[in-house]
Amino acid sequence: MVRPASAAVDAGHMTRLRGVHPGEAELVARWHAEPASPFEDWSGAPAPGTEHAARLPPPAGGGELLVTDAADAPLGTVSWRPVAYGPSPGSQAFDIGISLRPQARGQGHGSRAQRLLADYLFATTPVHRVQASTDVENVAEQAALVRAGFSVEGVLRAAQWRGGGFHDLAMYARLRVDA
């Protein structure tokens, strides 16, 4: 069942998640082309098309949603992609990511958006694990993940190629039983 965008709202602060409207596809494509921080590498990311509806898409595969404020102003995006830890369907998890525009940072939108996305994935899929990784130097994102209910699991050494070199990532996860 596809739930309306208004279902993915943090009532206390009005951080929202919703699909990208056709008129916003160019804005999001520009965001992908112009990383907002040194921790983002959007090379090779496809530009979102106009097939995005104003509803949350079913999360069966990967996807991307817009993060907005109470006035529905776009603040950034959250995304997810499936990862497998074994051949059985029960071994699938979702890896999530976030990109907030600089003016939206430091206001709690990131932690609330990541919590909303994990809640949405748990409510609409049978996955038991939602995970996120971030550069070991990205202390702000690490704190946001903890506020969103994620637990640190360790460091993935030289796991990401970005900016001409390999970078260590801190791995965080939230399990269905943690929710």
Side-chain angles (χ1 to χ4, degrees):
M1 175 178 131
V2 176
R3 298 177 344 161
S6 60
V9 174
D10 176 56
H13 298 282
M14 300 305 287
T15 299
R16 300 172 185 258
L17 302 181
R18 66 167 172 80
V20 177
H21 295 201
E24 297 166 329
E26 191 175 308
L27 170 70
V28 175
R30 194 169 55 247
W31 287 352
H32 283 287
E34 301 167 3
S37 83
F39 299 113
E40 297 175 3
D41 181 290
W42 296 109
S43 60
T50 57
E51 73 278 0
H52 294 290
R55 297 177 160 275
L56 296 176
E64 180 175 57
L65 296 171
L66 209 57
V67 178
T68 68
D69 63 13
D72 204 35
L75 304 174
T77 59
V78 288
S79 61
W80 68 95
R81 64 183 176 86
V83 292
Y85 287 101
S88 72
S91 299
Q92 180 179 317
F94 282 114
D95 189 78
I96 68 169
I98 188 166
S99 175
L100 288 180
R101 304 316 295 171
Q103 67 276 12
R105 296 185 186 141
Q107 302 170 45
H109 293 295
S111 58
R112 289 189 297 269
Q114 290 173 109
R115 181 177 11 90
L116 285 170
L117 181 57
D119 290 347
Y120 172 66
L121 294 171
F122 287 135
T124 59
T125 72
V127 298
H128 187 71
R129 176 186 175 85
V130 174
Q131 65 185 38
S133 59
T134 188
D135 193 286
V136 294
E137 295 178 11
N138 193 346
V139 177
E141 171 60 1
Q142 293 171 35
L145 286 166
V146 170
R147 284 191 304 273
F150 287 73
S151 298
V152 66
E153 294 189 326
V155 173
L156 304 172
R157 298 179 309 131
Q160 185 180 71
W161 175 264
R162 188 182 74 253
F166 286 102
H167 296 263
D168 293 350
L169 298 176
M171 176 60 76
Y172 288 76
R174 193 171 139 196
L175 305 179
R176 182 177 294 276
V177 295
D178 297 338

